[in-house]
Amino acid sequence: MANEEKPDFSDVELGSSSTLPTPEPEEQTYTIVSGDSLSKIAKHFYGDAGRWREIFEANRDVIKDPDLIYPGHTIKIPSA
Amino acid sequence: MRFHRTTTLILLGCIALFGCKKKEEAPPPETVAPAPVESPTPTPTPATVPFKVTSIDLGKAIGPDKKVTDPTTTFGPKDTIYAVVSSEGSGPDVKLTAKWTFGDKGQPVGSEDKTVTPNGSASATEFHASKKSGWPVGHYKVEILADGTSAGTKEFEVKK
């Protein structure tokens, strides 16, 4: 019985790079600095301070209280 | 005499009336011939060349400019295979895909995407593939797609 065995390519490693710029990642990060607030960050990224909650929701794992954010922490900024 | 005075008054009234009216009238159309319009010198606008793949090259190594430095279509089992996509033009983001297949039946080896932002300059995007346990001997293909449309296929062979 002719059993045509297919080669296993599960350990193939692929990669790529380009001289062209690559688009901005959909989700940015931001490192909090002294004097920041979620409203201020929302205003900076979205132009709307009222969207602070979106940032808060995306960072529930690191921000427990939206009024307490700490300089040096890096948070995720969801795409606008 | 009275008739003469009345006529004079009417005449003066008319002059006054027309005198005032004339100020309200729109200015007469200009009769000055317009200056000859010089034909505008065409401003050279940079030609917008849409993004296109100009070549696909295979090799065992690439340089800092991402170009193949060791072009070949025959590889050894332990080689890293580079497929370099040269392109030009500008436009919106383009998703380049390299689809690697093996044999006549096109057994999938792997697929890699790279989204780039064409900026008008000649550019190179490299895709590479390696296999820790070594490539099986045989014939392979790598197809390059730009936004899902085939931009070319290159065949290569792995020999012992």
Side-chain angles (χ1 to χ4, degrees), chain B residues 44-158:
Chain B
T45 50
T48 306
V49 179
F51 177 85
K52 71 171 180 180
V53 171
T54 53
S55 68
I56 302 165
D57 300 295
L58 300 181
K60 293 181 184 179
I62 57 169
D65 59 355
K66 314 286 184 196
K67 297 281 187 181
V68 168
T69 55
D70 186 8
T72 183
T73 55
T74 305
F75 298 86
K78 291 291 184 183
D79 284 339
T80 294
I81 300 152
Y82 289 89
V84 172
V85 182
S86 298
S87 60
E88 64 181 24
S90 56
D93 293 349
V94 175
K95 185 173 83 173
L96 292 170
T97 305
K99 279 174 68 177
W100 305 80
T101 55
F102 171 74
D104 295 336
K105 292 181 179 174
Q107 181 186 345
V109 170
S111 180
E112 171 85 1
D113 295 332
K114 182 74 177 171
T115 301
V116 295
T117 305
N119 58 9
S121 61
S123 57
T125 302
E126 63 84 13
F127 293 93
H128 60 266
S130 59
K131 192 172 188 303
K132 278 183 184 170
S133 59
W135 295 106
V137 169
H139 291 272
Y140 293 77
K141 283 180 188 173
V142 57
E143 182 180 19
I144 302 299
L145 301 101
D147 284 337
T149 303
S150 182
T153 301
K154 285 284 176 178
E155 296 183 9
F156 61 94
E157 187 179 7
V158 172

Side-chain angles (χ1 to χ4, degrees), chain A residues 31-67:
Chain A
T31 302
I32 296 165
V33 296
S34 182
D36 271 343
S37 66
L38 290 185
S39 303
K40 195 174 166 184
I41 296 167
K43 174 78 176 168
H44 174 75
F45 283 97
Y46 305 136
D48 180 0
R51 293 179 67 183
W52 65 268
R53 187 171 289 279
E54 291 175 38
I55 299 173
F56 175 54
E57 292 297 340
N59 292 278
R60 283 277 196 172
D61 52 337
V62 291
I63 302 174
K64 304 300 176 196
D65 181 344
D67 292 325

Side-chain angles (χ1 to χ4, degrees), chain B residues 21-32:
Chain B
K21 271 226 164 184
K22 193 159 190 177
K23 283 181 189 169
E24 291 171 14
E25 281 173 5
E30 285 189 23
T31 53
V32 180

